[in-house]
Amino acid sequence: EAAKVARTRLDKVSEARLEDIDFATEGLAPGSIDTFIAGDVLEHLYDPWRALLAVRPLLTGDAQVAISLPNVRNLFIQSQLNNEGTWKYDTHGLLDVTHIRFFAKRDIVRKLRETGFATDEMRCHHDPRFAELYRANHGKADITLQAGRLKLEKLSPDELQEYCTLQFIVLAHPSPAPDESRAA
């Protein structure tokens, strides 16, 4: 149904796993895509790096890239792992049973850089379970968080934000290929 609606608004819609698309067969030429959205996709791939490397040449130089990924450094997951010695998969959310790869903020930025993308902005979708915790500590320095037996001390405001984040939304663009940057 989503693809049917998308076809009324987009030039090209492919209904296949990103890893399985033969871009040439689909008629996608290098430099032909101006927007790439991977909303809750990359964590479901065995090799998201290879998928991003395959997409990169298809993008125009000024293409917009939007990616959303769940945050494995979320306080709920960390607390569950520390206090119970396990994490429990679920039918949806951070530990969706179909998630194959897991990423924290630094992993996301590194993965994009390694595959030819520059991060423009990283937005945080906060976990509602920690909304009050975040509000109470936002802007403070040397923050301490306690979740069961897990105690985190001397956190920076950025670390607090990451622990309270459910999902990252990343806006990026293709970075110049190495030989292009040498010519500049």
Side-chain angles (χ1 to χ4, degrees), residues 77-112:
I77 293 176
Q78 300 302 313
S79 176
Q80 190 179 56
L81 186 59
N82 186 71
N83 292 316
E84 299 173 30
T86 187
W87 58 21
K88 297 174 189 154
Y89 286 95
D90 203 344
T91 57
H92 63 282
L94 290 168
L95 293 175
D96 183 314
V97 294
T98 64
H99 288 179
I100 297 166
R101 298 288 183 178
F102 296 91
F103 302 96
K105 184 178 182 178
R106 288 181 187 166
D107 301 319
I108 296 166
V109 172
R110 185 179 68 244
K111 173 178 59 175
L112 288 172

PDB file of all heavy atoms in Angstrom, residues 77-112:
ATOM      1  N   ILE A  77      18.164   0.122  27.443  1.00  0.00           N
ATOM      2  CA  ILE A  77      18.938  -1.056  27.034  1.00  0.00           C
ATOM      3  C   ILE A  77      20.136  -1.247  27.955  1.00  0.00           C
ATOM      4  O   ILE A  77      20.419  -2.367  28.401  1.00  0.00           O
ATOM      5  CB  ILE A  77      19.408  -0.931  25.571  1.00  0.00           C
ATOM      6  CG1 ILE A  77      18.209  -0.988  24.641  1.00  0.00           C
ATOM      7  CG2 ILE A  77      20.403  -2.027  25.227  1.00  0.00           C
ATOM      8  CD1 ILE A  77      18.546  -0.769  23.183  1.00  0.00           C
ATOM      9  N   GLN A  78      20.841  -0.174  28.246  1.00  0.00           N
ATOM     10  CA  GLN A  78      22.018  -0.260  29.115  1.00  0.00           C
ATOM     11  C   GLN A  78      21.637  -0.760  30.508  1.00  0.00           C
ATOM     12  O   GLN A  78      22.329  -1.595  31.090  1.00  0.00           O
ATOM     13  CB  GLN A  78      22.722   1.094  29.201  1.00  0.00           C
ATOM     14  CG  GLN A  78      23.215   1.625  27.873  1.00  0.00           C
ATOM     15  CD  GLN A  78      24.177   0.666  27.193  1.00  0.00           C
ATOM     16  OE1 GLN A  78      25.102   0.151  27.807  1.00  0.00           O
ATOM     17  NE2 GLN A  78      23.957   0.430  25.917  1.00  0.00           N
ATOM     18  N   SER A  79      20.549  -0.248  31.036  1.00  0.00           N
ATOM     19  CA  SER A  79      20.089  -0.652  32.361  1.00  0.00           C
ATOM     20  C   SER A  79      19.667  -2.122  32.372  1.00  0.00           C
ATOM     21  O   SER A  79      20.015  -2.880  33.283  1.00  0.00           O
ATOM     22  CB  SER A  79      18.914   0.227  32.795  1.00  0.00           C
ATOM     23  OG  SER A  79      18.394  -0.201  34.010  1.00  0.00           O
ATOM     24  N   GLN A  80      18.929  -2.522  31.364  1.00  0.00           N
ATOM     25  CA  GLN A  80      18.479  -3.912  31.264  1.00  0.00           C
ATOM     26  C   GLN A  80      19.680  -4.862  31.178  1.00  0.00           C
ATOM     27  O   GLN A  80      19.726  -5.877  31.869  1.00  0.00           O
ATOM     28  CB  GLN A  80      17.580  -4.060  30.037  1.00  0.00           C
ATOM     29  CG  GLN A  80      16.865  -5.377  29.946  1.00  0.00           C
ATOM     30  CD  GLN A  80      15.974  -5.425  28.723  1.00  0.00           C
ATOM     31  OE1 GLN A  80      16.448  -5.222  27.599  1.00  0.00           O
ATOM     32  NE2 GLN A  80      14.694  -5.689  28.934  1.00  0.00           N
ATOM     33  N   LEU A  81      20.650  -4.500  30.374  1.00  0.00           N
ATOM     34  CA  LEU A  81      21.842  -5.327  30.217  1.00  0.00           C
ATOM     35  C   LEU A  81      22.635  -5.397  31.518  1.00  0.00           C
ATOM     36  O   LEU A  81      23.063  -6.465  31.948  1.00  0.00           O
ATOM     37  CB  LEU A  81      22.706  -4.777  29.086  1.00  0.00           C
ATOM     38  CG  LEU A  81      23.919  -5.588  28.686  1.00  0.00           C
ATOM     39  CD1 LEU A  81      23.519  -6.983  28.239  1.00  0.00           C
ATOM     40  CD2 LEU A  81      24.663  -4.881  27.565  1.00  0.00           C
ATOM     41  N   ASN A  82      22.818  -4.257  32.175  1.00  0.00           N
ATOM     42  CA  ASN A  82      23.589  -4.210  33.409  1.00  0.00           C
ATOM     43  C   ASN A  82      22.847  -4.861  34.586  1.00  0.00           C
ATOM     44  O   ASN A  82      23.431  -5.638  35.334  1.00  0.00           O
ATOM     45  CB  ASN A  82      23.935  -2.765  33.770  1.00  0.00           C
ATOM     46  CG  ASN A  82      24.859  -2.694  34.954  1.00  0.00           C
ATOM     47  OD1 ASN A  82      26.019  -3.030  34.857  1.00  0.00           O
ATOM     48  ND2 ASN A  82      24.325  -2.276  36.096  1.00  0.00           N
ATOM     49  N   ASN A  83      21.575  -4.557  34.760  1.00  0.00           N
ATOM     50  CA  ASN A  83      20.830  -5.028  35.926  1.00  0.00           C
ATOM     51  C   ASN A  83      20.334  -6.461  35.801  1.00  0.00           C
ATOM     52  O   ASN A  83      20.262  -7.182  36.777  1.00  0.00           O
ATOM     53  CB  ASN A  83      19.638  -4.099  36.207  1.00  0.00           C
ATOM     54  CG  ASN A  83      20.086  -2.736  36.667  1.00  0.00           C
ATOM     55  OD1 ASN A  83      20.987  -2.604  37.492  1.00  0.00           O
ATOM     56  ND2 ASN A  83      19.485  -1.694  36.116  1.00  0.00           N
ATOM     57  N   GLU A  84      19.979  -6.875  34.577  1.00  0.00           N
ATOM     58  CA  GLU A  84      19.425  -8.211  34.387  1.00  0.00           C
ATOM     59  C   GLU A  84      20.384  -9.157  33.672  1.00  0.00           C
ATOM     60  O   GLU A  84      20.103 -10.345  33.550  1.00  0.00           O
ATOM     61  CB  GLU A  84      18.106  -8.111  33.618  1.00  0.00           C
ATOM     62  CG  GLU A  84      17.060  -7.287  34.354  1.00  0.00           C
ATOM     63  CD  GLU A  84      15.817  -7.043  33.515  1.00  0.00           C
ATOM     64  OE1 GLU A  84      15.489  -7.899  32.671  1.00  0.00           O
ATOM     65  OE2 GLU A  84      15.186  -5.985  33.714  1.00  0.00           O
ATOM     66  N   GLY A  85      21.489  -8.617  33.140  1.00  0.00           N
ATOM     67  CA  GLY A  85      22.465  -9.448  32.446  1.00  0.00           C
ATOM     68  C   GLY A  85      22.025  -9.907  31.070  1.00  0.00           C
ATOM     69  O   GLY A  85      22.602 -10.833  30.500  1.00  0.00           O
ATOM     70  N   THR A  86      21.024  -9.257  30.524  1.00  0.00           N
ATOM     71  CA  THR A  86      20.515  -9.626  29.205  1.00  0.00           C
ATOM     72  C   THR A  86      19.770  -8.451  28.612  1.00  0.00           C
ATOM     73  O   THR A  86      19.515  -7.463  29.292  1.00  0.00           O
ATOM     74  CB  THR A  86      19.564 -10.843  29.302  1.00  0.00           C
ATOM     75  OG1 THR A  86      19.219 -11.281  27.989  1.00  0.00           O
ATOM     76  CG2 THR A  86      18.303 -10.513  30.077  1.00  0.00           C
ATOM     77  N   TRP A  87      19.477  -8.555  27.331  1.00  0.00           N
ATOM     78  CA  TRP A  87      18.495  -7.641  26.780  1.00  0.00           C
ATOM     79  C   TRP A  87      17.428  -8.487  26.123  1.00  0.00           C
ATOM     80  O   TRP A  87      17.671  -9.579  25.639  1.00  0.00           O
ATOM     81  CB  TRP A  87      19.080  -6.591  25.869  1.00  0.00           C
ATOM     82  CG  TRP A  87      19.856  -7.038  24.657  1.00  0.00           C
ATOM     83  CD1 TRP A  87      19.805  -8.248  24.018  1.00  0.00           C
ATOM     84  CD2 TRP A  87      20.793  -6.253  23.931  1.00  0.00           C
ATOM     85  NE1 TRP A  87      20.656  -8.247  22.950  1.00  0.00           N
ATOM     86  CE2 TRP A  87      21.275  -7.032  22.865  1.00  0.00           C
ATOM     87  CE3 TRP A  87      21.265  -4.962  24.059  1.00  0.00           C
ATOM     88  CZ2 TRP A  87      22.196  -6.577  21.952  1.00  0.00           C
ATOM     89  CZ3 TRP A  87      22.181  -4.516  23.144  1.00  0.00           C
ATOM     90  CH2 TRP A  87      22.639  -5.308  22.119  1.00  0.00           C
ATOM     91  N   LYS A  88      16.233  -7.998  26.168  1.00  0.00           N
ATOM     92  CA  LYS A  88      15.090  -8.778  25.707  1.00  0.00           C
ATOM     93  C   LYS A  88      14.598  -8.229  24.380  1.00  0.00           C
ATOM     94  O   LYS A  88      14.202  -7.077  24.286  1.00  0.00           O
ATOM     95  CB  LYS A  88      13.970  -8.723  26.748  1.00  0.00           C
ATOM     96  CG  LYS A  88      14.363  -9.346  28.064  1.00  0.00           C
ATOM     97  CD  LYS A  88      13.289  -9.144  29.113  1.00  0.00           C
ATOM     98  CE  LYS A  88      13.818  -9.592  30.452  1.00  0.00           C
ATOM     99  NZ  LYS A  88      13.181  -8.930  31.561  1.00  0.00           N
ATOM    100  N   TYR A  89      14.630  -9.084  23.368  1.00  0.00           N
ATOM    101  CA  TYR A  89      14.098  -8.691  22.071  1.00  0.00           C
ATOM    102  C   TYR A  89      12.582  -8.592  22.161  1.00  0.00           C
ATOM    103  O   TYR A  89      11.943  -9.212  23.004  1.00  0.00           O
ATOM    104  CB  TYR A  89      14.510  -9.703  21.004  1.00  0.00           C
ATOM    105  CG  TYR A  89      15.959  -9.573  20.628  1.00  0.00           C
ATOM    106  CD1 TYR A  89      16.932 -10.365  21.231  1.00  0.00           C
ATOM    107  CD2 TYR A  89      16.362  -8.641  19.683  1.00  0.00           C
ATOM    108  CE1 TYR A  89      18.270 -10.239  20.896  1.00  0.00           C
ATOM    109  CE2 TYR A  89      17.699  -8.507  19.333  1.00  0.00           C
ATOM    110  CZ  TYR A  89      18.640  -9.304  19.949  1.00  0.00           C
ATOM    111  OH  TYR A  89      19.963  -9.174  19.613  1.00  0.00           O
ATOM    112  N   ASP A  90      12.008  -7.791  21.258  1.00  0.00           N
ATOM    113  CA  ASP A  90      10.583  -7.528  21.259  1.00  0.00           C
ATOM    114  C   ASP A  90      10.096  -7.532  19.811  1.00  0.00           C
ATOM    115  O   ASP A  90      10.888  -7.680  18.881  1.00  0.00           O
ATOM    116  CB  ASP A  90      10.322  -6.160  21.912  1.00  0.00           C
ATOM    117  CG  ASP A  90       8.913  -6.027  22.459  1.00  0.00           C
ATOM    118  OD1 ASP A  90       8.034  -6.835  22.095  1.00  0.00           O
ATOM    119  OD2 ASP A  90       8.685  -5.097  23.253  1.00  0.00           O
ATOM    120  N   THR A  91       8.819  -7.338  19.626  1.00  0.00           N
ATOM    121  CA  THR A  91       8.248  -7.313  18.281  1.00  0.00           C
ATOM    122  C   THR A  91       8.409  -5.952  17.607  1.00  0.00           C
ATOM    123  O   THR A  91       8.138  -5.818  16.412  1.00  0.00           O
ATOM    124  CB  THR A  91       6.755  -7.683  18.310  1.00  0.00           C
ATOM    125  OG1 THR A  91       6.083  -6.776  19.196  1.00  0.00           O
ATOM    126  CG2 THR A  91       6.558  -9.115  18.778  1.00  0.00           C
ATOM    127  N   HIS A  92       8.838  -4.945  18.351  1.00  0.00           N
ATOM    128  CA  HIS A  92       9.035  -3.605  17.800  1.00  0.00           C
ATOM    129  C   HIS A  92       9.947  -2.807  18.729  1.00  0.00           C
ATOM    130  O   HIS A  92      10.271  -3.253  19.821  1.00  0.00           O
ATOM    131  CB  HIS A  92       7.685  -2.890  17.619  1.00  0.00           C
ATOM    132  CG  HIS A  92       6.970  -2.666  18.920  1.00  0.00           C
ATOM    133  ND1 HIS A  92       6.284  -3.662  19.575  1.00  0.00           N
ATOM    134  CD2 HIS A  92       6.877  -1.565  19.702  1.00  0.00           C
ATOM    135  CE1 HIS A  92       5.788  -3.188  20.704  1.00  0.00           C
ATOM    136  NE2 HIS A  92       6.129  -1.919  20.804  1.00  0.00           N
ATOM    137  N   GLY A  93      10.368  -1.665  18.281  1.00  0.00           N
ATOM    138  CA  GLY A  93      11.165  -0.777  19.129  1.00  0.00           C
ATOM    139  C   GLY A  93      12.657  -1.021  19.024  1.00  0.00           C
ATOM    140  O   GLY A  93      13.150  -1.598  18.057  1.00  0.00           O
ATOM    141  N   LEU A  94      13.381  -0.565  20.049  1.00  0.00           N
ATOM    142  CA  LEU A  94      14.841  -0.624  20.053  1.00  0.00           C
ATOM    143  C   LEU A  94      15.392  -2.026  19.816  1.00  0.00           C
ATOM    144  O   LEU A  94      16.371  -2.201  19.112  1.00  0.00           O
ATOM    145  CB  LEU A  94      15.383  -0.100  21.390  1.00  0.00           C
ATOM    146  CG  LEU A  94      15.239   1.385  21.652  1.00  0.00           C
ATOM    147  CD1 LEU A  94      15.549   1.694  23.108  1.00  0.00           C
ATOM    148  CD2 LEU A  94      16.147   2.178  20.734  1.00  0.00           C
ATOM    149  N   LEU A  95      14.772  -2.998  20.429  1.00  0.00           N
ATOM    150  CA  LEU A  95      15.254  -4.375  20.312  1.00  0.00           C
ATOM    151  C   LEU A  95      14.295  -5.242  19.496  1.00  0.00           C
ATOM    152  O   LEU A  95      14.006  -6.383  19.834  1.00  0.00           O
ATOM    153  CB  LEU A  95      15.491  -4.970  21.704  1.00  0.00           C
ATOM    154  CG  LEU A  95      16.623  -4.322  22.486  1.00  0.00           C
ATOM    155  CD1 LEU A  95      16.715  -4.891  23.888  1.00  0.00           C
ATOM    156  CD2 LEU A  95      17.946  -4.475  21.756  1.00  0.00           C
ATOM    157  N   ASP A  96      13.820  -4.679  18.396  1.00  0.00           N
ATOM    158  CA  ASP A  96      12.990  -5.402  17.447  1.00  0.00           C
ATOM    159  C   ASP A  96      13.722  -6.680  17.036  1.00  0.00           C
ATOM    160  O   ASP A  96      14.913  -6.649  16.742  1.00  0.00           O
ATOM    161  CB  ASP A  96      12.767  -4.492  16.230  1.00  0.00           C
ATOM    162  CG  ASP A  96      11.861  -5.095  15.182  1.00  0.00           C
ATOM    163  OD1 ASP A  96      12.026  -6.278  14.829  1.00  0.00           O
ATOM    164  OD2 ASP A  96      10.990  -4.364  14.691  1.00  0.00           O
ATOM    165  N   VAL A  97      13.017  -7.793  17.007  1.00  0.00           N
ATOM    166  CA  VAL A  97      13.651  -9.078  16.687  1.00  0.00           C
ATOM    167  C   VAL A  97      14.260  -9.109  15.288  1.00  0.00           C
ATOM    168  O   VAL A  97      15.096  -9.965  15.002  1.00  0.00           O
ATOM    169  CB  VAL A  97      12.665 -10.266  16.842  1.00  0.00           C
ATOM    170  CG1 VAL A  97      12.263 -10.447  18.289  1.00  0.00           C
ATOM    171  CG2 VAL A  97      11.445 -10.106  15.950  1.00  0.00           C
ATOM    172  N   THR A  98      13.864  -8.186  14.425  1.00  0.00           N
ATOM    173  CA  THR A  98      14.415  -8.169  13.067  1.00  0.00           C
ATOM    174  C   THR A  98      15.654  -7.279  12.950  1.00  0.00           C
ATOM    175  O   THR A  98      16.231  -7.190  11.865  1.00  0.00           O
ATOM    176  CB  THR A  98      13.355  -7.711  12.049  1.00  0.00           C
ATOM    177  OG1 THR A  98      12.979  -6.363  12.338  1.00  0.00           O
ATOM    178  CG2 THR A  98      12.132  -8.620  12.094  1.00  0.00           C
ATOM    179  N   HIS A  99      16.081  -6.634  14.034  1.00  0.00           N
ATOM    180  CA  HIS A  99      17.293  -5.810  13.990  1.00  0.00           C
ATOM    181  C   HIS A  99      18.514  -6.721  13.959  1.00  0.00           C
ATOM    182  O   HIS A  99      18.678  -7.603  14.797  1.00  0.00           O
ATOM    183  CB  HIS A  99      17.376  -4.881  15.195  1.00  0.00           C
ATOM    184  CG  HIS A  99      16.391  -3.766  15.145  1.00  0.00           C
ATOM    185  ND1 HIS A  99      16.283  -2.830  16.139  1.00  0.00           N
ATOM    186  CD2 HIS A  99      15.469  -3.413  14.213  1.00  0.00           C
ATOM    187  CE1 HIS A  99      15.336  -1.962  15.822  1.00  0.00           C
ATOM    188  NE2 HIS A  99      14.817  -2.316  14.657  1.00  0.00           N
ATOM    189  N   ILE A 100      19.370  -6.473  12.995  1.00  0.00           N
ATOM    190  CA  ILE A 100      20.579  -7.269  12.819  1.00  0.00           C
ATOM    191  C   ILE A 100      21.806  -6.495  13.290  1.00  0.00           C
ATOM    192  O   ILE A 100      22.737  -7.063  13.843  1.00  0.00           O
ATOM    193  CB  ILE A 100      20.720  -7.664  11.332  1.00  0.00           C
ATOM    194  CG1 ILE A 100      19.536  -8.544  10.936  1.00  0.00           C
ATOM    195  CG2 ILE A 100      22.039  -8.362  11.077  1.00  0.00           C
ATOM    196  CD1 ILE A 100      19.381  -8.731   9.448  1.00  0.00           C
ATOM    197  N   ARG A 101      21.799  -5.192  13.077  1.00  0.00           N
ATOM    198  CA  ARG A 101      22.914  -4.317  13.460  1.00  0.00           C
ATOM    199  C   ARG A 101      22.448  -3.301  14.496  1.00  0.00           C
ATOM    200  O   ARG A 101      21.294  -2.885  14.499  1.00  0.00           O
ATOM    201  CB  ARG A 101      23.462  -3.566  12.241  1.00  0.00           C
ATOM    202  CG  ARG A 101      24.037  -4.454  11.175  1.00  0.00           C
ATOM    203  CD  ARG A 101      25.338  -5.035  11.625  1.00  0.00           C
ATOM    204  NE  ARG A 101      25.920  -5.839  10.561  1.00  0.00           N
ATOM    205  CZ  ARG A 101      27.067  -6.433  10.681  1.00  0.00           C
ATOM    206  NH1 ARG A 101      27.768  -6.333  11.786  1.00  0.00           N
ATOM    207  NH2 ARG A 101      27.536  -7.156   9.687  1.00  0.00           N
ATOM    208  N   PHE A 102      23.374  -2.899  15.349  1.00  0.00           N
ATOM    209  CA  PHE A 102      23.075  -1.925  16.400  1.00  0.00           C
ATOM    210  C   PHE A 102      24.112  -0.809  16.356  1.00  0.00           C
ATOM    211  O   PHE A 102      25.294  -1.067  16.132  1.00  0.00           O
ATOM    212  CB  PHE A 102      23.083  -2.607  17.770  1.00  0.00           C
ATOM    213  CG  PHE A 102      21.999  -3.645  17.892  1.00  0.00           C
ATOM    214  CD1 PHE A 102      22.235  -4.962  17.558  1.00  0.00           C
ATOM    215  CD2 PHE A 102      20.735  -3.281  18.312  1.00  0.00           C
ATOM    216  CE1 PHE A 102      21.236  -5.922  17.646  1.00  0.00           C
ATOM    217  CE2 PHE A 102      19.720  -4.226  18.409  1.00  0.00           C
ATOM    218  CZ  PHE A 102      19.972  -5.546  18.075  1.00  0.00           C
ATOM    219  N   PHE A 103      23.658   0.423  16.593  1.00  0.00           N
ATOM    220  CA  PHE A 103      24.530   1.584  16.479  1.00  0.00           C
ATOM    221  C   PHE A 103      24.306   2.566  17.611  1.00  0.00           C
ATOM    222  O   PHE A 103      23.178   2.787  18.040  1.00  0.00           O
ATOM    223  CB  PHE A 103      24.268   2.325  15.152  1.00  0.00           C
ATOM    224  CG  PHE A 103      24.466   1.465  13.951  1.00  0.00           C
ATOM    225  CD1 PHE A 103      23.398   0.826  13.347  1.00  0.00           C
ATOM    226  CD2 PHE A 103      25.736   1.290  13.421  1.00  0.00           C
ATOM    227  CE1 PHE A 103      23.581   0.027  12.235  1.00  0.00           C
ATOM    228  CE2 PHE A 103      25.926   0.484  12.312  1.00  0.00           C
ATOM    229  CZ  PHE A 103      24.851  -0.148  11.717  1.00  0.00           C
ATOM    230  N   ALA A 104      25.396   3.151  18.070  1.00  0.00           N
ATOM    231  CA  ALA A 104      25.359   4.308  18.964  1.00  0.00           C
ATOM    232  C   ALA A 104      25.719   5.524  18.102  1.00  0.00           C
ATOM    233  O   ALA A 104      26.088   5.390  16.926  1.00  0.00           O
ATOM    234  CB  ALA A 104      26.358   4.126  20.107  1.00  0.00           C
ATOM    235  N   LYS A 105      25.633   6.697  18.676  1.00  0.00           N
ATOM    236  CA  LYS A 105      25.841   7.943  17.931  1.00  0.00           C
ATOM    237  C   LYS A 105      27.172   7.954  17.169  1.00  0.00           C
ATOM    238  O   LYS A 105      27.221   8.259  15.980  1.00  0.00           O
ATOM    239  CB  LYS A 105      25.769   9.120  18.904  1.00  0.00           C
ATOM    240  CG  LYS A 105      25.869  10.463  18.263  1.00  0.00           C
ATOM    241  CD  LYS A 105      25.726  11.549  19.324  1.00  0.00           C
ATOM    242  CE  LYS A 105      25.765  12.928  18.713  1.00  0.00           C
ATOM    243  NZ  LYS A 105      25.566  13.971  19.749  1.00  0.00           N
ATOM    244  N   ARG A 106      28.258   7.628  17.834  1.00  0.00           N
ATOM    245  CA  ARG A 106      29.579   7.643  17.178  1.00  0.00           C
ATOM    246  C   ARG A 106      29.664   6.644  16.038  1.00  0.00           C
ATOM    247  O   ARG A 106      30.311   6.883  15.026  1.00  0.00           O
ATOM    248  CB  ARG A 106      30.682   7.364  18.190  1.00  0.00           C
ATOM    249  CG  ARG A 106      30.928   8.504  19.125  1.00  0.00           C
ATOM    250  CD  ARG A 106      32.038   8.173  20.085  1.00  0.00           C
ATOM    251  NE  ARG A 106      32.166   9.218  21.081  1.00  0.00           N
ATOM    252  CZ  ARG A 106      32.849   9.101  22.177  1.00  0.00           C
ATOM    253  NH1 ARG A 106      33.505   7.994  22.450  1.00  0.00           N
ATOM    254  NH2 ARG A 106      32.900  10.101  23.037  1.00  0.00           N
ATOM    255  N   ASP A 107      29.013   5.488  16.216  1.00  0.00           N
ATOM    256  CA  ASP A 107      29.009   4.469  15.165  1.00  0.00           C
ATOM    257  C   ASP A 107      28.330   4.996  13.900  1.00  0.00           C
ATOM    258  O   ASP A 107      28.780   4.731  12.790  1.00  0.00           O
ATOM    259  CB  ASP A 107      28.262   3.209  15.618  1.00  0.00           C
ATOM    260  CG  ASP A 107      28.856   2.578  16.852  1.00  0.00           C
ATOM    261  OD1 ASP A 107      30.091   2.521  16.963  1.00  0.00           O
ATOM    262  OD2 ASP A 107      28.060   2.143  17.714  1.00  0.00           O
ATOM    263  N   ILE A 108      27.245   5.719  14.090  1.00  0.00           N
ATOM    264  CA  ILE A 108      26.486   6.253  12.956  1.00  0.00           C
ATOM    265  C   ILE A 108      27.340   7.246  12.171  1.00  0.00           C
ATOM    266  O   ILE A 108      27.460   7.149  10.952  1.00  0.00           O
ATOM    267  CB  ILE A 108      25.186   6.922  13.447  1.00  0.00           C
ATOM    268  CG1 ILE A 108      24.266   5.880  14.091  1.00  0.00           C
ATOM    269  CG2 ILE A 108      24.479   7.636  12.298  1.00  0.00           C
ATOM    270  CD1 ILE A 108      23.122   6.471  14.896  1.00  0.00           C
ATOM    271  N   VAL A 109      27.952   8.182  12.878  1.00  0.00           N
ATOM    272  CA  VAL A 109      28.778   9.199  12.221  1.00  0.00           C
ATOM    273  C   VAL A 109      29.952   8.543  11.502  1.00  0.00           C
ATOM    274  O   VAL A 109      30.252   8.867  10.350  1.00  0.00           O
ATOM    275  CB  VAL A 109      29.259  10.258  13.237  1.00  0.00           C
ATOM    276  CG1 VAL A 109      30.271  11.210  12.622  1.00  0.00           C
ATOM    277  CG2 VAL A 109      28.062  11.024  13.807  1.00  0.00           C
ATOM    278  N   ARG A 110      30.598   7.575  12.151  1.00  0.00           N
ATOM    279  CA  ARG A 110      31.737   6.882  11.536  1.00  0.00           C
ATOM    280  C   ARG A 110      31.295   6.095  10.304  1.00  0.00           C
ATOM    281  O   ARG A 110      31.941   6.140   9.258  1.00  0.00           O
ATOM    282  CB  ARG A 110      32.416   5.957  12.548  1.00  0.00           C
ATOM    283  CG  ARG A 110      33.694   5.302  11.975  1.00  0.00           C
ATOM    284  CD  ARG A 110      34.394   4.391  12.959  1.00  0.00           C
ATOM    285  NE  ARG A 110      33.582   3.216  13.219  1.00  0.00           N
ATOM    286  CZ  ARG A 110      33.053   2.898  14.396  1.00  0.00           C
ATOM    287  NH1 ARG A 110      33.255   3.656  15.453  1.00  0.00           N
ATOM    288  NH2 ARG A 110      32.320   1.818  14.549  1.00  0.00           N
ATOM    289  N   LYS A 111      30.173   5.385  10.417  1.00  0.00           N
ATOM    290  CA  LYS A 111      29.668   4.594   9.287  1.00  0.00           C
ATOM    291  C   LYS A 111      29.402   5.500   8.088  1.00  0.00           C
ATOM    292  O   LYS A 111      29.768   5.168   6.958  1.00  0.00           O
ATOM    293  CB  LYS A 111      28.394   3.853   9.671  1.00  0.00           C
ATOM    294  CG  LYS A 111      27.738   3.163   8.495  1.00  0.00           C
ATOM    295  CD  LYS A 111      26.505   2.400   8.873  1.00  0.00           C
ATOM    296  CE  LYS A 111      25.496   3.309   9.492  1.00  0.00           C
ATOM    297  NZ  LYS A 111      24.241   2.675   9.780  1.00  0.00           N
ATOM    298  N   LEU A 112      28.808   6.640   8.316  1.00  0.00           N
ATOM    299  CA  LEU A 112      28.530   7.555   7.209  1.00  0.00           C
ATOM    300  C   LEU A 112      29.826   8.085   6.599  1.00  0.00           C
ATOM    301  O   LEU A 112      29.967   8.115   5.372  1.00  0.00           O
ATOM    302  CB  LEU A 112      27.633   8.696   7.686  1.00  0.00           C
ATOM    303  CG  LEU A 112      26.188   8.285   7.965  1.00  0.00           C
ATOM    304  CD1 LEU A 112      25.417   9.419   8.609  1.00  0.00           C
ATOM    305  CD2 LEU A 112      25.499   7.808   6.702  1.00  0.00           C
TER     306      LEU A 112
END
